């Protein structure tokens, strides 16, 4: 298991991702007391300003682990029942039989059967997941739109169901986590932003992590370049954006160092108790936004590199990495921590949806994909 960090190899691997076409990326890899931080490329393609490893970044759905941890703290306190129906708490948002059938757990692990609201909030994405029939036009139209979370939830709840409550594979849906945000507010009598900040961000000792209220990223940061499968050429900067389209389910701003610090604290039992952590790591099959079936727990999912599966360890073995990935318009991040907490990787990239579409409308392989996979493999396993 012990593969010490190789700074020269990590520097070469991150540079290779940049040379493959990523404008800029930065990362932190930890192995026990060893720490490597690196960056390659530019934060601004027009000025050539370089990226640095301490930049703040929109980390997208990595936020879901923070939200899930805050909900499980309320479960521990007895204010929320993990297997209680969501209709008990939010009857006006999920009414009737569905509210009685969908539990809090089903929201956390995406087995509620509730549809994703994004194609309804962004009209030019209505054909999603048929990518060739989408367009990025509404991404620009909604740059400064202040969405009402209750309206977004309504879009997901009234859309055709993605499946029966509790059925597997589930479907990854932001509707689930916007409902959890409302549940947190109902249970605590405060905003979800305040609750997550107080109970998760501050408990983990994070100093460069926040849920934003405005459209800007404070402090040193990169531009965020959205390509939308080659339909925005050259890619457009969306670093200034109103994040109410996802709210406290995917709007977190953080650093790669803070992400590693958070997941280390979580997996060490410093954020939620042992039984809650065990529930977080109990997985079910879920169809991801990319259309792949992944294993997903409660705001956490496991990941193993190619050929790294070890017999008898499964999704709870010490060789498994736990964490989350996330994307926003133009930006992305991935944070993974080995089950024993010793080896960690957090990576941030400043371009999204770089793959063009083939004649069948499927994303084509891109050199960035292989270069990123090689970097992940090196960072996680040496």
């Amino acid at each position: 298991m012990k593969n010490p960090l190789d700074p020269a190899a990590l520097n070469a691997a991150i540079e290779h991702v940049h040379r493959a076409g990523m404008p800029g990326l930065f990362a932190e890899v930890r192995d026990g007391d060893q720490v490597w931080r690196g960056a390659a490329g530019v934060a601004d393609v027009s000025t050539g300003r370089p990226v640095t490893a301490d930049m703040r970044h929109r980390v997208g759905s990595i936020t879901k682990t923070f939200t899930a941890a805050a909900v499980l703290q309320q479960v521990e306190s007895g204010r929320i029942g993990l297997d209680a129906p969501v209709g008990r708490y939010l009857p006006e948002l999920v009414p009737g039989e569905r509210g009685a059938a969908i539990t809090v757990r089903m929201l956390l692990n995406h087995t509620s059967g509730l549809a994703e609201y994004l194609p309804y909030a962004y009209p030019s994405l209505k054909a999603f997941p048929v990518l060739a029939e989408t367009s990025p036009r509404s991404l620009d139209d909604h740059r400064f739109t202040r969405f009402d979370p209750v309206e977004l939830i309504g879009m997901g709840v009234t859309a055709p169901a993605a499946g029966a409550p509790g059925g597997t594979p589930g479907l990854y849906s932001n509707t689930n986590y916007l409902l959890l945000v409302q549940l947190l507010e109902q249970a605590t009598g405060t905003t979800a932003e305040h609750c997550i900040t107080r109970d998760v961000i501050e408990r983990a000792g994070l100093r460069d992590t926040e849920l934003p209220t405005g459209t800007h990223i404070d402090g040193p940061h990169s531009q965020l370049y959205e390509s939308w499968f080659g339909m925005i050429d050259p890619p457009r900067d969306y670093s200034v954006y109103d994040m109410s389209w996802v709210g406290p389910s995917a709007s977190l701003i953080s650093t790669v160092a803070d992400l590693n610090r958070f997941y280390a604290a979580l997996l060490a039992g410093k954020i939620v108790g042992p039984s809650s952590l065990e529930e977080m790591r109990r997985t079910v099959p879920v169809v991801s936004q990319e259309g792949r079936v992944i294993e997903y727990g409660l705001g956490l999912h496991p990941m193993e590199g190619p050929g790294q599966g070890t017999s008898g360890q499964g999704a709870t073995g010490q060789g498994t990495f736990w964490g989350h990935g996330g994307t926003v318009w133009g930006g992305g991040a991935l944070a993974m921590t080995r089950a024993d907490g010793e080896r960690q990787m957090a990576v941030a990239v400043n371009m999204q949806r770089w793959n063009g579409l083939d004649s069948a409308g499927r994303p084509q392989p891109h050199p960035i994909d292989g270069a990123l996979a090689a970097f992940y493999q090196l960072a996680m396993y040496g």
Side-chain angles (χ1 to χ4, degrees):
M1 292 295 293
K2 195 66 182 167
N3 293 313
L5 301 185
D6 183 338
L10 288 162
N11 286 332
I14 200 171
E15 181 66 31
H16 185 54
V17 182
H18 167 54
R19 292 184 186 280
M22 178 61 64
L25 71 159
F26 45 100
E28 181 188 85
V29 181
R30 305 183 74 96
D31 192 302
D33 296 332
Q34 275 193 295
V35 182
W36 170 88
R37 293 187 188 97
V42 298
D44 188 326
V45 297
S46 59
T47 67
R49 174 172 59 94
V51 284
T52 57
D54 60 349
M55 283 182 159
R56 304 177 88 233
H57 196 72
R58 298 197 193 277
V59 300
S61 284
I62 288 175
T63 316
K64 288 181 172 60
T65 313
F66 289 70
T67 306
V71 169
L72 285 162
Q73 288 174 348
Q74 297 305 313
V75 170
E76 290 172 3
S77 74
R79 292 190 189 96
I80 294 172
L82 184 57
D83 292 300
V86 69
R88 178 185 300 175
Y89 306 106
L90 303 169
E92 70 288 356
L93 296 182
V94 193
E97 290 182 11
R98 282 173 104 188
I102 295 171
T103 66
V104 174
R105 183 191 300 273
M106 291 172 199
L107 298 177
L108 285 160
N109 68 11
H110 297 292
T111 59
S112 69
L114 293 172
E116 172 63 67
Y117 65 79
L118 278 176
Y120 301 91
Y122 285 80
S124 70
L125 307 186
K126 186 145 193 197
F128 187 87
V130 184
L131 298 175
E133 294 178 18
T134 66
S135 114
R137 186 180 63 253
S138 54
L139 274 58
D140 220 43
D141 294 343
H142 284 316
R143 186 191 285 262
F144 298 111
T145 299
R146 174 55 49 162
F147 284 105
D148 179 341
V150 172
E151 289 182 13
L152 294 176
I153 290 167
M155 294 174 189
V157 171
T158 58
T168 57
L171 179 75
Y172 189 97
S173 168
N174 283 291
T175 307
N176 293 318
Y177 273 73
L178 278 193
L179 278 163
L180 290 167
V181 166
Q182 296 294 314
L183 180 61
L184 267 181
E185 297 190 348
Q186 196 248 32
T188 63
T190 184
T191 66
E193 287 91 343
H194 180 260
C195 174
I196 294 168
T197 300
R198 178 194 64 203
D199 297 342
V200 181
I201 295 172
E202 291 177 359
R203 187 179 293 196
L206 311 184
R207 296 183 177 171
D208 290 305
T209 299
E210 66 174 344
L211 289 160
T213 51
T215 58
H216 288 69
I217 304 169
D218 294 330
H221 64 278
S222 173
Q223 313 301 95
L224 300 176
Y225 296 103
E226 180 60 51
S227 173
W228 196 258
F229 307 102
M231 296 181 209
I232 307 177
D233 188 19
R236 189 172 300 135
D237 170 31
Y238 282 140
S239 56
V240 176
Y241 211 97
D242 189 307
M243 295 302 292
S244 59
W245 63 282
V246 280
S249 71
S251 62
L252 199 73
I253 292 169
S254 191
T255 62
V256 288
D258 264 8
L259 291 177
N260 279 338
R261 195 172 290 120
F262 166 67
Y263 282 105
L266 179 71
L267 292 174
K270 296 177 181 176
I271 309 296
V272 299
S275 60
S276 292
L277 188 57
E278 190 178 329
E279 295 288 0
M280 290 183 85
R281 298 199 294 191
R282 184 174 296 174
T283 64
V284 293
V286 167
V287 179
S288 73
Q289 285 183 315
E290 293 76 38
R292 293 182 294 109
V293 176
I294 61 171
E295 289 295 314
Y296 197 92
L298 308 184
L300 269 183
H301 75 85
M303 176 173 156
E304 290 181 348
Q308 293 294 335
T310 46
S311 61
Q313 291 188 173
T316 57
Q318 293 301 299
T320 300
F321 283 70
W322 290 92
H324 215 289
T327 67
V328 295
W329 310 134
L334 178 66
M336 285 285 156
T337 293
R338 201 167 65 200
D340 62 7
E342 283 292 295
R343 187 92 172 196
Q344 295 190 277
M345 167 194 81
V347 185
V349 299
N350 68 1
M351 184 170 69
Q352 274 305 306
R353 286 158 283 271
W354 51 78
N355 306 82
L357 302 179
D358 63 18
S359 57
R362 294 179 302 242
Q364 294 177 296
H366 191 287
I368 289 174
D369 302 321
L372 268 177
F375 178 78
Y376 297 157
Q377 178 80 6
L378 182 67
M380 293 163 73
Y381 302 102

